[in-house]
Amino acid sequence: MAADNARGAMFRVILPNQPSRVTNAELFFDLVFVFAVTQVSHTLLHHFTPLGAVEVTLLFLAVWWVWVYTAWVTNWLNPELTPVRILIFLMMLGGLVLSTTIPTAFEGRGLWFAIAYATMQVGRTAFWLFATPRHRTAVRHNAIRILVWLCGSAIFWILGGLAHGEERLWFWIVALTIEYVSPAVRFWLPRLGFSSVEAWAVEGGHMAERCAGFIIIALGEAVVVNGATFAELDWTADNILAFVSCLVGAIAMWWVYFHKGAEAGSERLSKSAESGRLARLAYTYLHLPIVAGIILTAVSDELVLKHPTGHSDIRTIVSTIGGPLVFLIGTILFKHAIRGFLQLSHGIGIILLLVLWWFAAELSPLWLSVATTVIMIVVAVWESVSLGSATEE
């Protein structure tokens, strides 16, 4: 009984009308993923081929999945307690190993990447199971379900780490498929069945703040890289305009996500009777394209800053238009999930970007960047002035 009480004490105490705050330990943990996001964007920049894009996408999906699973667990457990803090710090160690191996994950350090990833996923979930008292049957069964699914995917991660070339890619695709499908089928197991909606209840304000923090991480990484790149360039008119365009584009992305969407998401999730179901859709899955769009835009920014003149090549076109496009698709779906309607401003922005694609090859990287930034500004301003009107609603 005493052991069960001690385990139960590791869970957050949720009080009505008192949102749980994001702790300093969680923010400290997130610093590792600033490095991970940087590694993903730089790896894509140096392997911008069809195969390289597939490989980097797989690595990004893994990075996001290990982070968002940790956000779920620290939504339930209390990071102010020493055992949970130790878990977070061990996860930081695993995250650093994972991040350092990203550039060579499909070369010499694939096994290290697989071991780090599988250990983080399985180890964190095993700790959550251990921390759950026996009388909380639904939560324990949920932890068991997730642990079994993650152990199954871990086999394919390790097999991929031991394999080489195309075999590694296919093993890891299978592993990621298992992990991404499992929440959608509610971690079904033969004897335990499906997990219940009640077992997935979250503290909405905390979950929304955690995911908003990851958006800040991605945007902040882009701003830092832009500043570092610009510092090494001559301050010509083209370079200055390119730098301003990249910065304003990042600000527009921040505005589109945070002006109303982040706050509305937090409020909606906090009041939802099925907070777990909404968090799974809006924050676990639909935040993926939002973050991916920011990372792809960061790749574009570096290409534009280094080569602002001349004709835009395929890498520049795909990243410069594709980044905002993927970001807006993710944002419009996210806001639809939490508000129940599609943002007209976002839809028009998506159409304008698709139209711009037809003329992209005729523009220099600088003016292509300026054009996409103007479109993002239009979306941000339109949403700001029309939100709440009959047109948007």
Side-chain angles (χ1 to χ4, degrees), residues 257-268 338:
Y257 179 86
F258 282 98
H259 179 59
K260 289 293 183 181
E263 180 182 345
S266 177
E267 183 177 352
R268 172 77 174 82
I338 62 176

Side-chain angles (χ1 to χ4, degrees), residues 39 86 186:
Q39 292 284 77
I86 292 174
R186 290 190 289 157

Side-chain angles (χ1 to χ4, degrees), residues 39 112 124 126 138 205 235 246 251 262 299 311 332 349 356 366 380 385:
Q39 292 284 77
W112 281 105
R124 181 203 53 245
W235 285 21
C246 294
I251 293 172
V299 173
H311 287 288
I332 196 173
L356 178 62
L366 170 59
V385 300

Side-chain angles (χ1 to χ4, degrees), residues 127-382:
F127 178 91
W128 173 39
L129 176 60
F130 170 79
T132 305
R134 294 185 180 278
H135 68 271
R136 301 185 66 165
T137 306
V139 178
R140 284 185 61 82
H141 285 178
N142 209 25
I144 292 170
R145 290 185 186 94
I146 297 173
L147 185 60
V148 170
W149 278 83
L150 290 178
C151 286
S153 66
I155 294 172
F156 290 94
W157 282 111
I158 300 302
L159 288 175
L162 293 170
H164 299 280
E166 188 175 330
E167 287 186 1
R168 174 173 296 173
L169 177 62
W170 283 111
F171 274 125
W172 285 359
I173 288 175
V174 171
L176 267 184
T177 300
I178 291 172
E179 295 196 21
Y180 272 76
V181 167
S182 56
V185 299
R186 290 190 289 157
F187 298 97
W188 180 87
L189 286 182
R191 295 185 63 181
L192 293 180
F194 297 98
S195 62
S196 65
V197 174
E198 293 76 18
W200 283 97
V202 296
E203 204 296 297
H206 174 269
M207 177 62 74
E209 187 178 351
R210 291 290 283 128
C211 290
F214 202 96
I215 301 298
I216 290 291
I217 287 173
L219 287 171
E221 187 273 339
V223 171
V224 169
V225 170
N226 291 345
T229 303
F230 182 63
E232 299 176 354
L233 302 175
D234 295 330
W235 285 21
T236 64
D238 286 343
N239 290 341
I240 292 173
L241 181 57
F243 177 69
V244 172
S245 175
C246 294
L247 177 59
V248 174
I251 293 172
M253 283 184 164
W254 180 94
W255 195 278
V256 168
Y257 179 86
F258 282 98
H259 179 59
K260 289 293 183 181
E263 180 182 345
S266 177
E267 183 177 352
R268 172 77 174 82
L269 190 57
S270 297
K271 296 179 179 179
S272 175
E274 296 185 344
S275 59
R277 189 190 303 274
L278 182 59
R280 180 187 62 184
L281 173 62
Y283 289 93
T284 303
Y285 286 115
L286 295 184
H287 266 60
L288 259 172
I290 298 175
V291 178
I294 296 172
I295 292 175
L296 190 55
T297 302
V299 173
S300 161
D301 291 347
E302 192 161 351
L303 289 171
V304 171
L305 283 168
K306 290 182 176 179
H307 305 286
T309 59
H311 287 288
S312 298
D313 60 15
I314 188 64
R315 293 192 309 166
T316 305
I317 294 172
V318 169
S319 58
T320 305
I321 298 180
L325 181 64
V326 173
F327 172 83
L328 284 179
I329 291 173
T331 306
I332 196 173
L333 293 176
F334 163 64
K335 292 181 180 180
H336 178 267
I338 62 176
R339 290 176 177 166
F341 62 88
L342 295 172
Q343 295 283 143
L344 179 59
S345 56
H346 294 40
I348 295 299
I350 290 169
I351 293 172
L352 290 175
L353 287 168
L354 291 174
V355 171
L356 178 62
W357 206 302
W358 288 98
F359 309 98
E362 301 174 11
L363 300 174
S364 68
L366 170 59
W367 290 110
L368 184 61
S369 173
V370 170
T372 57
T373 296
V374 169
I375 291 173
M376 292 303 299
I377 292 172
V378 169
V379 173
V381 172
W382 187 344

